[in-house]
mmCIF file of all heavy atoms in Angstrom:
data_model
loop_
_atom_site.group_PDB
_atom_site.id
_atom_site.type_symbol
_atom_site.label_atom_id
_atom_site.label_comp_id
_atom_site.label_asym_id
_atom_site.label_seq_id
_atom_site.Cartn_x
_atom_site.Cartn_y
_atom_site.Cartn_z
ATOM 1 N N ASN A 1 0.890 -1.187 -0.021
ATOM 2 C CA ASN A 1 0.017 -0.005 0.000
ATOM 3 C C ASN A 1 0.927 1.220 -0.016
ATOM 4 O O ASN A 1 1.694 1.381 0.909
ATOM 5 C CB ASN A 1 -0.878 -0.046 1.245
ATOM 6 C CG ASN A 1 -1.476 1.316 1.554
ATOM 7 O OD1 ASN A 1 -1.043 2.046 2.424
ATOM 8 N ND2 ASN A 1 -2.557 1.678 0.871
ATOM 9 N N MET A 2 0.856 2.031 -1.073
ATOM 10 C CA MET A 2 1.710 3.228 -1.148
ATOM 11 C C MET A 2 0.894 4.508 -1.071
ATOM 12 O O MET A 2 -0.156 4.648 -1.679
ATOM 13 C CB MET A 2 2.375 3.169 -2.583
ATOM 14 C CG MET A 2 2.998 1.889 -2.974
ATOM 15 S SD MET A 2 4.438 1.572 -1.934
ATOM 16 C CE MET A 2 5.356 0.352 -2.938
ATOM 17 N N THR A 3 1.428 5.361 -0.259
ATOM 18 C CA THR A 3 0.776 6.685 -0.046
ATOM 19 C C THR A 3 1.783 7.800 -0.337
ATOM 20 O O THR A 3 2.869 7.878 0.207
ATOM 21 C CB THR A 3 0.247 6.852 1.399
ATOM 22 O OG1 THR A 3 -0.618 5.765 1.678
ATOM 23 C CG2 THR A 3 -0.487 8.144 1.594
ATOM 24 N N TYR A 4 1.389 8.721 -1.267
ATOM 25 C CA TYR A 4 2.237 9.859 -1.619
ATOM 26 C C TYR A 4 2.028 10.895 -0.532
ATOM 27 O O TYR A 4 0.921 11.429 -0.361
ATOM 28 C CB TYR A 4 1.816 10.443 -2.949
ATOM 29 C CG TYR A 4 2.107 9.496 -4.078
ATOM 30 C CD1 TYR A 4 1.135 8.505 -4.424
ATOM 31 C CD2 TYR A 4 3.254 9.585 -4.812
ATOM 32 C CE1 TYR A 4 1.440 7.631 -5.501
ATOM 33 C CE2 TYR A 4 3.507 8.647 -5.892
ATOM 34 C CZ TYR A 4 2.542 7.702 -6.241
ATOM 35 O OH TYR A 4 2.812 6.820 -7.253
ATOM 36 N N LEU A 5 3.087 11.288 0.223
ATOM 37 C CA LEU A 5 2.978 12.270 1.251
ATOM 38 C C LEU A 5 3.089 13.652 0.598
ATOM 39 O O LEU A 5 2.676 14.699 1.196
ATOM 40 C CB LEU A 5 3.997 12.084 2.341
ATOM 41 C CG LEU A 5 3.915 10.690 3.017
ATOM 42 C CD1 LEU A 5 5.031 10.528 4.047
ATOM 43 C CD2 LEU A 5 2.571 10.486 3.653
ATOM 44 N N THR A 6 3.671 13.706 -0.612
ATOM 45 C CA THR A 6 3.794 14.925 -1.378
ATOM 46 C C THR A 6 3.610 14.408 -2.826
ATOM 47 O O THR A 6 3.742 13.258 -3.121
ATOM 48 C CB THR A 6 5.176 15.566 -1.263
ATOM 49 O OG1 THR A 6 6.146 14.633 -1.760
ATOM 50 C CG2 THR A 6 5.495 15.960 0.121
ATOM 51 N N PRO A 7 3.237 15.362 -3.766
ATOM 52 C CA PRO A 7 3.124 14.879 -5.186
ATOM 53 C C PRO A 7 4.445 14.384 -5.664
ATOM 54 O O PRO A 7 5.519 14.854 -5.309
ATOM 55 C CB PRO A 7 2.807 16.188 -5.963
ATOM 56 C CG PRO A 7 2.369 17.156 -4.919
ATOM 57 C CD PRO A 7 2.997 16.781 -3.658
ATOM 58 N N GLY A 8 4.424 13.230 -6.400
ATOM 59 C CA GLY A 8 5.658 12.650 -6.822
ATOM 60 C C GLY A 8 5.404 11.472 -7.743
ATOM 61 O O GLY A 8 4.211 11.269 -8.166
ATOM 62 N N PHE A 9 6.484 10.766 -8.184
ATOM 63 C CA PHE A 9 6.311 9.661 -9.021
ATOM 64 C C PHE A 9 7.407 8.616 -8.717
ATOM 65 O O PHE A 9 8.397 8.939 -8.044
ATOM 66 C CB PHE A 9 6.325 10.075 -10.513
ATOM 67 C CG PHE A 9 7.631 10.632 -10.966
ATOM 68 C CD1 PHE A 9 8.561 9.885 -11.725
ATOM 69 C CD2 PHE A 9 7.938 11.923 -10.696
ATOM 70 C CE1 PHE A 9 9.728 10.450 -12.177
ATOM 71 C CE2 PHE A 9 9.131 12.502 -11.120
ATOM 72 C CZ PHE A 9 10.015 11.716 -11.872
ATOM 73 N N SER A 10 7.151 7.351 -9.122
ATOM 74 C CA SER A 10 8.108 6.269 -8.832
ATOM 75 C C SER A 10 8.280 5.420 -10.102
ATOM 76 O O SER A 10 7.379 5.445 -10.969
ATOM 77 C CB SER A 10 7.616 5.400 -7.698
ATOM 78 O OG SER A 10 7.297 6.107 -6.561
ATOM 79 N N MET A 11 9.335 4.706 -10.129
ATOM 80 C CA MET A 11 9.605 3.755 -11.211
ATOM 81 C C MET A 11 9.782 2.349 -10.587
ATOM 82 O O MET A 11 10.537 2.241 -9.626
ATOM 83 C CB MET A 11 10.794 4.145 -12.050
ATOM 84 C CG MET A 11 11.097 3.137 -13.120
ATOM 85 S SD MET A 11 12.428 3.702 -14.229
ATOM 86 C CE MET A 11 13.839 3.338 -13.254
ATOM 87 N N SER A 12 9.169 1.329 -11.130
ATOM 88 C CA SER A 12 9.382 -0.007 -10.729
ATOM 89 C C SER A 12 10.154 -0.836 -11.748
ATOM 90 O O SER A 12 9.769 -0.844 -12.907
ATOM 91 C CB SER A 12 8.024 -0.761 -10.463
ATOM 92 O OG SER A 12 7.594 -0.477 -9.151
ATOM 93 N N LEU A 13 11.167 -1.535 -11.324
ATOM 94 C CA LEU A 13 11.856 -2.502 -12.164
ATOM 95 C C LEU A 13 11.542 -3.834 -11.554
ATOM 96 O O LEU A 13 11.378 -4.013 -10.356
ATOM 97 C CB LEU A 13 13.419 -2.278 -12.054
ATOM 98 C CG LEU A 13 13.898 -0.947 -12.569
ATOM 99 C CD1 LEU A 13 15.433 -0.818 -12.277
ATOM 100 C CD2 LEU A 13 13.637 -0.737 -14.062
ATOM 101 N N ARG A 14 11.347 -4.837 -12.458
ATOM 102 C CA ARG A 14 10.952 -6.126 -11.946
ATOM 103 C C ARG A 14 11.720 -7.271 -12.547
ATOM 104 O O ARG A 14 12.322 -7.170 -13.619
ATOM 105 C CB ARG A 14 9.420 -6.321 -12.269
ATOM 106 C CG ARG A 14 9.011 -6.028 -13.662
ATOM 107 C CD ARG A 14 7.617 -5.391 -13.797
ATOM 108 N NE ARG A 14 6.533 -6.028 -13.121
ATOM 109 C CZ ARG A 14 5.854 -5.482 -12.121
ATOM 110 N NH1 ARG A 14 6.139 -4.296 -11.687
ATOM 111 N NH2 ARG A 14 4.839 -6.128 -11.590
ATOM 112 N N THR A 15 11.697 -8.337 -11.785
ATOM 113 C CA THR A 15 12.302 -9.617 -12.288
ATOM 114 C C THR A 15 11.215 -10.660 -12.213
ATOM 115 O O THR A 15 10.306 -10.552 -11.394
ATOM 116 C CB THR A 15 13.478 -10.093 -11.357
ATOM 117 O OG1 THR A 15 12.964 -10.649 -10.162
ATOM 118 C CG2 THR A 15 14.440 -9.007 -11.085
ATOM 119 N N LEU A 16 11.334 -11.728 -12.977
ATOM 120 C CA LEU A 16 10.425 -12.843 -12.928
ATOM 121 C C LEU A 16 10.454 -13.436 -11.518
ATOM 122 O O LEU A 16 11.416 -13.401 -10.835
ATOM 123 C CB LEU A 16 10.750 -13.918 -13.986
ATOM 124 C CG LEU A 16 10.521 -13.435 -15.410
ATOM 125 C CD1 LEU A 16 11.146 -14.479 -16.364
ATOM 126 C CD2 LEU A 16 9.023 -13.302 -15.703
ATOM 127 N N PRO A 17 9.293 -14.117 -11.113
ATOM 128 C CA PRO A 17 9.374 -14.836 -9.858
ATOM 129 C C PRO A 17 10.460 -15.918 -9.843
ATOM 130 O O PRO A 17 10.759 -16.509 -10.857
ATOM 131 C CB PRO A 17 7.995 -15.520 -9.830
ATOM 132 C CG PRO A 17 7.145 -14.982 -10.841
ATOM 133 C CD PRO A 17 8.044 -14.264 -11.852
ATOM 134 N N ARG A 18 11.058 -16.113 -8.695
ATOM 135 C CA ARG A 18 12.181 -17.145 -8.595
ATOM 136 C C ARG A 18 11.599 -18.510 -8.401
ATOM 137 O O ARG A 18 12.150 -19.483 -8.843
ATOM 138 C CB ARG A 18 13.045 -16.762 -7.426
ATOM 139 C CG ARG A 18 13.859 -15.464 -7.657
ATOM 140 C CD ARG A 18 14.552 -14.978 -6.369
ATOM 141 N NE ARG A 18 15.618 -15.915 -5.967
ATOM 142 C CZ ARG A 18 16.839 -15.920 -6.378
ATOM 143 N NH1 ARG A 18 17.228 -15.122 -7.375
ATOM 144 N NH2 ARG A 18 17.737 -16.763 -5.942
ATOM 145 N N SER A 19 10.433 -18.626 -7.682
ATOM 146 C CA SER A 19 9.932 -19.970 -7.431
ATOM 147 C C SER A 19 8.954 -20.401 -8.530
ATOM 148 O O SER A 19 8.204 -19.634 -9.078
ATOM 149 C CB SER A 19 9.175 -19.960 -6.091
ATOM 150 O OG SER A 19 7.840 -19.516 -6.196
ATOM 151 N N ALA A 20 9.011 -21.712 -8.842
ATOM 152 C CA ALA A 20 8.129 -22.304 -9.881
ATOM 153 C C ALA A 20 6.680 -22.150 -9.491
ATOM 154 O O ALA A 20 5.785 -21.900 -10.298
ATOM 155 C CB ALA A 20 8.491 -23.733 -10.070
ATOM 156 N N LYS A 21 6.399 -22.230 -8.137
ATOM 157 C CA LYS A 21 5.057 -22.117 -7.668
ATOM 158 C C LYS A 21 4.501 -20.683 -7.969
ATOM 159 O O LYS A 21 3.379 -20.601 -8.466
ATOM 160 C CB LYS A 21 5.032 -22.334 -6.143
ATOM 161 C CG LYS A 21 3.658 -22.415 -5.496
ATOM 162 C CD LYS A 21 3.804 -22.690 -4.010
ATOM 163 C CE LYS A 21 2.456 -22.610 -3.364
ATOM 164 N NZ LYS A 21 2.576 -22.755 -1.912
ATOM 165 N N ASN A 22 5.242 -19.702 -7.705
ATOM 166 C CA ASN A 22 4.826 -18.333 -8.010
ATOM 167 C C ASN A 22 4.712 -18.064 -9.550
ATOM 168 O O ASN A 22 3.830 -17.276 -9.975
ATOM 169 C CB ASN A 22 5.691 -17.282 -7.370
ATOM 170 C CG ASN A 22 5.471 -17.263 -5.831
ATOM 171 O OD1 ASN A 22 4.396 -17.721 -5.402
ATOM 172 N ND2 ASN A 22 6.303 -16.604 -5.085
ATOM 173 N N LEU A 23 5.611 -18.644 -10.348
ATOM 174 C CA LEU A 23 5.446 -18.576 -11.800
ATOM 175 C C LEU A 23 4.111 -19.129 -12.250
ATOM 176 O O LEU A 23 3.409 -18.562 -13.079
ATOM 177 C CB LEU A 23 6.594 -19.369 -12.433
ATOM 178 C CG LEU A 23 7.768 -18.570 -13.069
ATOM 179 C CD1 LEU A 23 8.828 -19.503 -13.569
ATOM 180 C CD2 LEU A 23 7.375 -17.526 -14.073
ATOM 181 N N GLY A 24 3.739 -20.255 -11.648
ATOM 182 C CA GLY A 24 2.472 -20.894 -11.919
ATOM 183 C C GLY A 24 1.237 -19.983 -11.570
ATOM 184 O O GLY A 24 0.330 -19.846 -12.293
ATOM 185 N N LYS A 25 1.402 -19.381 -10.349
ATOM 186 C CA LYS A 25 0.352 -18.460 -9.872
ATOM 187 C C LYS A 25 0.177 -17.273 -10.765
ATOM 188 O O LYS A 25 -0.852 -16.814 -11.094
ATOM 189 C CB LYS A 25 0.629 -18.011 -8.477
ATOM 190 C CG LYS A 25 0.385 -19.093 -7.408
ATOM 191 C CD LYS A 25 0.737 -18.388 -6.052
ATOM 192 C CE LYS A 25 0.673 -19.416 -4.906
ATOM 193 N NZ LYS A 25 1.104 -18.887 -3.644
ATOM 194 N N ALA A 26 1.391 -16.755 -11.218
ATOM 195 C CA ALA A 26 1.349 -15.607 -12.146
ATOM 196 C C ALA A 26 0.701 -15.934 -13.471
ATOM 197 O O ALA A 26 -0.164 -15.159 -13.963
ATOM 198 C CB ALA A 26 2.804 -15.134 -12.443
ATOM 199 N N PHE A 27 0.965 -17.132 -13.989
ATOM 200 C CA PHE A 27 0.299 -17.563 -15.224
ATOM 201 C C PHE A 27 -1.209 -17.671 -15.002
ATOM 202 O O PHE A 27 -1.988 -17.190 -15.905
ATOM 203 C CB PHE A 27 0.931 -18.855 -15.670
ATOM 204 C CG PHE A 27 0.328 -19.417 -17.007
ATOM 205 C CD1 PHE A 27 0.639 -18.809 -18.202
ATOM 206 C CD2 PHE A 27 -0.615 -20.471 -16.954
ATOM 207 C CE1 PHE A 27 0.055 -19.289 -19.380
ATOM 208 C CE2 PHE A 27 -1.166 -20.871 -18.177
ATOM 209 C CZ PHE A 27 -0.879 -20.304 -19.385
ATOM 210 N N TYR A 28 -1.576 -18.251 -13.935
ATOM 211 C CA TYR A 28 -2.999 -18.425 -13.607
ATOM 212 C C TYR A 28 -3.715 -17.040 -13.512
ATOM 213 O O TYR A 28 -4.774 -16.845 -14.123
ATOM 214 C CB TYR A 28 -3.156 -19.175 -12.267
ATOM 215 C CG TYR A 28 -4.588 -19.280 -11.813
ATOM 216 C CD1 TYR A 28 -5.453 -20.208 -12.230
ATOM 217 C CD2 TYR A 28 -5.078 -18.315 -10.888
ATOM 218 C CE1 TYR A 28 -6.789 -20.262 -11.776
ATOM 219 C CE2 TYR A 28 -6.450 -18.352 -10.443
ATOM 220 C CZ TYR A 28 -7.213 -19.341 -10.930
ATOM 221 O OH TYR A 28 -8.555 -19.348 -10.505
ATOM 222 N N ASN A 29 -3.100 -16.125 -12.807
ATOM 223 C CA ASN A 29 -3.611 -14.767 -12.629
ATOM 224 C C ASN A 29 -3.851 -14.011 -13.944
ATOM 225 O O ASN A 29 -4.878 -13.410 -14.194
ATOM 226 C CB ASN A 29 -2.726 -13.911 -11.816
ATOM 227 C CG ASN A 29 -2.755 -14.308 -10.292
ATOM 228 O OD1 ASN A 29 -3.637 -15.038 -9.885
ATOM 229 N ND2 ASN A 29 -1.798 -13.816 -9.560
ATOM 230 N N LEU A 30 -2.797 -14.174 -14.821
ATOM 231 C CA LEU A 30 -2.811 -13.418 -16.055
ATOM 232 C C LEU A 30 -3.798 -14.047 -17.110
ATOM 233 O O LEU A 30 -4.185 -13.354 -18.040
ATOM 234 C CB LEU A 30 -1.404 -13.344 -16.685
ATOM 235 C CG LEU A 30 -0.441 -12.476 -15.930
ATOM 236 C CD1 LEU A 30 1.003 -12.810 -16.190
ATOM 237 C CD2 LEU A 30 -0.712 -10.965 -16.300
ATOM 238 N N THR A 31 -4.100 -15.258 -16.917
ATOM 239 C CA THR A 31 -5.007 -15.975 -17.913
ATOM 240 C C THR A 31 -6.318 -16.228 -17.308
ATOM 241 O O THR A 31 -7.351 -15.509 -17.535
ATOM 242 C CB THR A 31 -4.355 -17.244 -18.401
ATOM 243 O OG1 THR A 31 -4.022 -18.097 -17.298
ATOM 244 C CG2 THR A 31 -3.110 -16.972 -19.263
ATOM 245 N N ILE A 32 -6.438 -17.247 -16.435
ATOM 246 C CA ILE A 32 -7.783 -17.731 -15.989
ATOM 247 C C ILE A 32 -8.398 -16.664 -15.082
ATOM 248 O O ILE A 32 -9.589 -16.356 -15.238
ATOM 249 C CB ILE A 32 -7.573 -19.037 -15.213
ATOM 250 C CG1 ILE A 32 -7.159 -20.132 -16.265
ATOM 251 C CG2 ILE A 32 -8.880 -19.524 -14.557
ATOM 252 C CD1 ILE A 32 -6.534 -21.371 -15.680
ATOM 253 N N MET A 33 -7.721 -16.218 -14.015
ATOM 254 C CA MET A 33 -8.297 -15.307 -13.060
ATOM 255 C C MET A 33 -8.912 -14.060 -13.726
ATOM 256 O O MET A 33 -10.007 -13.624 -13.518
ATOM 257 C CB MET A 33 -7.408 -14.907 -11.966
ATOM 258 C CG MET A 33 -8.055 -14.122 -10.844
ATOM 259 S SD MET A 33 -6.926 -13.272 -9.756
ATOM 260 C CE MET A 33 -6.529 -11.877 -10.784
ATOM 261 N N ARG A 34 -8.055 -13.448 -14.567
ATOM 262 C CA ARG A 34 -8.513 -12.204 -15.219
ATOM 263 C C ARG A 34 -9.682 -12.488 -16.138
ATOM 264 O O ARG A 34 -10.632 -11.705 -16.152
ATOM 265 C CB ARG A 34 -7.330 -11.572 -16.012
ATOM 266 C CG ARG A 34 -7.645 -10.234 -16.577
ATOM 267 C CD ARG A 34 -6.434 -9.345 -16.702
ATOM 268 N NE ARG A 34 -5.377 -9.883 -17.498
ATOM 269 C CZ ARG A 34 -4.212 -9.236 -17.775
ATOM 270 N NH1 ARG A 34 -4.054 -8.011 -17.270
ATOM 271 N NH2 ARG A 34 -3.276 -9.772 -18.540
ATOM 272 N N GLY A 35 -9.656 -13.579 -16.835
ATOM 273 C CA GLY A 35 -10.777 -13.938 -17.761
ATOM 274 C C GLY A 35 -12.081 -14.188 -16.994
ATOM 275 O O GLY A 35 -13.095 -13.679 -17.363
ATOM 276 N N VAL A 36 -11.955 -14.937 -15.879
ATOM 277 C CA VAL A 36 -13.161 -15.239 -15.090
ATOM 278 C C VAL A 36 -13.713 -13.952 -14.481
ATOM 279 O O VAL A 36 -14.916 -13.736 -14.521
ATOM 280 C CB VAL A 36 -12.791 -16.202 -13.914
ATOM 281 C CG1 VAL A 36 -13.903 -16.291 -12.890
ATOM 282 C CG2 VAL A 36 -12.520 -17.604 -14.493
ATOM 283 N N GLU A 37 -12.877 -13.041 -14.037
ATOM 284 C CA GLU A 37 -13.296 -11.823 -13.411
ATOM 285 C C GLU A 37 -14.039 -10.951 -14.435
ATOM 286 O O GLU A 37 -15.153 -10.473 -14.125
ATOM 287 C CB GLU A 37 -12.029 -11.066 -12.801
ATOM 288 C CG GLU A 37 -12.464 -9.846 -12.028
ATOM 289 C CD GLU A 37 -13.246 -10.144 -10.812
ATOM 290 O OE1 GLU A 37 -13.244 -11.328 -10.314
ATOM 291 O OE2 GLU A 37 -13.956 -9.269 -10.318
#
């Protein structure tokens, strides 16, 4: 949960999940969960 205490902006850099379990969850979220929703 991010709260801006003053006006501003941020940049996020990302890496793929390290665990196979989380890779599977990510795939599920991006395909099935989003489609069902």
Side-chain angles (χ1 to χ4, degrees):
N1 162 261
M2 309 293 198
T3 302
Y4 295 85
L5 302 178
T6 61
F9 64 102
S10 306
M11 176 174 78
S12 273
L13 299 175
R14 51 216 305 117
T15 75
L16 290 170
R18 290 171 67 82
S19 84
K21 188 179 175 186
N22 284 346
L23 258 176
K25 285 182 186 174
F27 180 75
Y28 173 85
N29 287 346
L30 289 159
T31 54
I32 296 163
M33 189 197 76
R34 188 150 57 178
V36 167
E37 188 62 20

